[in-house]
Amino acid sequence: MIPYQIPYGCQSIDQADIDAVVTVLKSPWLTQGPTIERFETAVAEHCQADFAVAVCNATAALHIACLAAGLGAGDRLWTSPNTFVASANCGRYCGAEVDFVDIDPMTLNLDAGLLAQKLEAAERVGQLPKVVIAVAFSGQSCDMHAIAALSERYGFTLIEDAAHAIGASYRGRPVGCGAYAAMTIFSFHPVKIVTSAEGGMVLTNDPELAARLRRLRSHGITGDPAQMTAPAQGLWYYQQLELGFNYRMTDLHAALGLSQMTRIDEFIARRRELAARYDHLLAGLPLTVPFGQPGAESAWHLYVVRFKFDLIEATQREVFDALRAAGIGVNLHYIPVHLQPYYREQGFTDGDFPEAERYFHEAISLPLFPGLSEEQQDYVVAQLRRIVGQVPSEDSRVRHA
């Protein structure tokens, strides 16, 4: 009998979260009410940003961020191939062409050096991107200082897809503060750092972007007389200024997210503690533990290891399946986006982004969430040792940097 059923990620819900949602259920407002604004304020203050716009999920957040950046047909969006498909799909929703920049083999984030090379080549042929989406994979920032400098030089809008990274920091400031990116995207899916069940948010320091984001999430409609093309005819009056969407968050979701924000520091501290413990427990196994981006403090949404399969008498599939059979809900983040059938139809193929492809064939995400006990973590490591064995040489050890 399997002693555990351990997911790779799991929400942490307490009585205060439940009470917060029940309070909204008993209130006059179930949607488009005051709890949404309180949630936005809490996230903006935590991240030291001027504006926050809550939406129904992070995919919607990416979509309206691209629209707010003016992305449209004939434009180009570049992002990382090591991400969930939404980071690329948001460009396709706008009618733009999508391309990718390979990853740094150490940080697994978009490689700023390769981005610089690709931009230089694109400038020569007049095919620069209008938007670059830098993905904070697993909870740690990209080299945002370098990428922001490239944004200024080449004129693209920099959006940070920080769906994994609320609570993280870069160069001593919170991710989402707006020091580098024009807009930052957060996700509140249940496996993320904090949850609103479903939900997303766009943070920005630009008041015009914030105003447009708010219109786009609600059908392109405004009730603000200052934005209207003609004088308001009464308190009931509104105008649709552009084609928008019904991407609004409900007060029920916002109530859960707002309650969760009171524990974000606790969640981050526990994730970091467990990640450091994995680093120690996994020493000596034929694998590489995560390598930190210099200057970045990860939120540790994921703990991804890369196996040295030349030292293991098992394939990636066999290791994965054996861990699942032992009740450990490992996962794989991510299949490179350019290898998905939809993007193959756009002309991408094997070998286009070799570092992302090499990573994909070596990686497995281990369980990491605040409720993971040390006993469960010890079990995960024990099963890994059983499946892949020990490598006695000190030369085989790769520790967290």
Side-chain angles (χ1 to χ4, degrees), residues 194-328:
V194 299
T195 186
S196 61
E198 278 284 9
M201 199 172 285
V202 189
L203 272 62
T204 183
N205 291 338
D206 186 324
E208 292 185 5
L209 283 176
R212 189 165 187 219
L213 289 163
R214 291 192 178 106
R215 287 199 306 271
L216 287 167
R217 75 173 171 187
S218 189
H219 305 281
I221 286 173
T222 184
D224 180 0
Q227 297 183 35
M228 294 181 183
T229 60
Q233 300 175 25
L235 292 177
W236 47 266
Y237 191 69
Y238 60 87
Q239 289 186 344
Q240 181 186 345
L241 302 181
E242 59 187 315
L243 184 63
F245 306 87
N246 185 357
Y247 281 170
R248 295 183 298 254
M249 177 179 279
T250 72
D251 277 51
L252 292 170
H253 292 87
L256 177 55
L258 179 60
S259 178
Q260 289 261 300
M261 284 299 296
T262 66
R263 290 192 287 153
I264 186 171
D265 292 339
E266 171 191 331
F267 292 155
I268 296 294
R270 179 58 177 164
R271 286 176 177 273
R272 288 176 176 165
E273 178 184 1
L274 289 167
R277 196 166 185 271
Y278 266 136
D279 287 350
H280 174 72
L281 293 172
L282 294 172
L285 286 176
L287 54 80
T288 303
V289 298
F291 185 95
Q293 170 70 45
E297 289 288 335
S298 180
W300 288 108
H301 166 54
L302 300 173
Y303 189 92
V304 182
V305 296
R306 296 179 70 172
F307 289 90
K308 300 178 179 181
F309 284 107
D310 58 333
L311 301 176
I312 301 171
E313 294 183 2
T315 65
Q316 182 188 42
R317 175 66 180 271
E318 288 169 341
V319 173
F320 187 97
D321 288 350
L323 288 166
R324 282 287 184 97
I328 301 167

Side-chain angles (χ1 to χ4, degrees), residues 12 58 69 82 93-94 112 126 145 157 159 172 177 204 224 264-265 282 293 298 305 313 321 351 360 370 373 379:
S12 175
N82 182 33
Y93 298 155
C94 299
H145 179 77
T157 298
I159 298 173
C177 68
T204 183
D224 180 0
I264 186 171
D265 292 339
L282 294 172
Q293 170 70 45
S298 180
V305 296
E313 294 183 2
D321 288 350
F360 166 60
S373 70
Y379 175 76

Side-chain angles (χ1 to χ4, degrees), residues 122-201:
E123 186 178 43
R124 288 196 296 267
V125 295
Q127 295 184 352
L128 286 169
K130 188 161 191 174
V131 169
V132 170
I133 295 183
V135 180
F137 175 72
S138 79
Q140 67 168 333
S141 285
C142 298
D143 187 355
M144 295 299 290
H145 179 77
I147 297 173
L150 292 170
S151 172
E152 291 192 14
R153 177 177 175 182
Y154 290 99
F156 60 82
T157 298
L158 176 56
I159 298 173
E160 185 173 21
D161 181 349
H164 294 182
I166 189 170
S169 65
Y170 176 75
R171 292 196 168 196
R173 297 193 63 187
V175 168
C177 68
Y180 303 98
M183 290 171 278
T184 299
I185 309 303
F186 290 135
S187 170
F188 306 115
H189 183 275
V191 297
K192 298 304 196 310
I193 309 301
V194 299
T195 186
S196 61
E198 278 284 9
M201 199 172 285

Side-chain angles (χ1 to χ4, degrees), residues 320-377:
F320 187 97
D321 288 350
L323 288 166
R324 282 287 184 97
I328 301 167
V330 290
N331 213 327
L332 208 168
H333 301 88
Y334 289 97
I335 302 169
V337 179
H338 68 286
L339 298 183
Q340 294 291 348
Y342 174 82
Y343 284 96
R344 286 182 183 273
E345 291 176 0
Q346 312 302 313
F348 296 103
T349 191
D350 298 83
D352 284 346
F353 305 100
E355 289 297 345
E357 294 172 34
R358 185 176 300 112
Y359 155 79
F360 166 60
H361 291 298
E362 298 172 353
I364 291 179
S365 300
L366 302 183
L368 182 66
F369 52 94
L372 182 70
S373 70
E374 292 187 0
E375 181 183 42
Q376 289 174 317
Q377 190 178 33

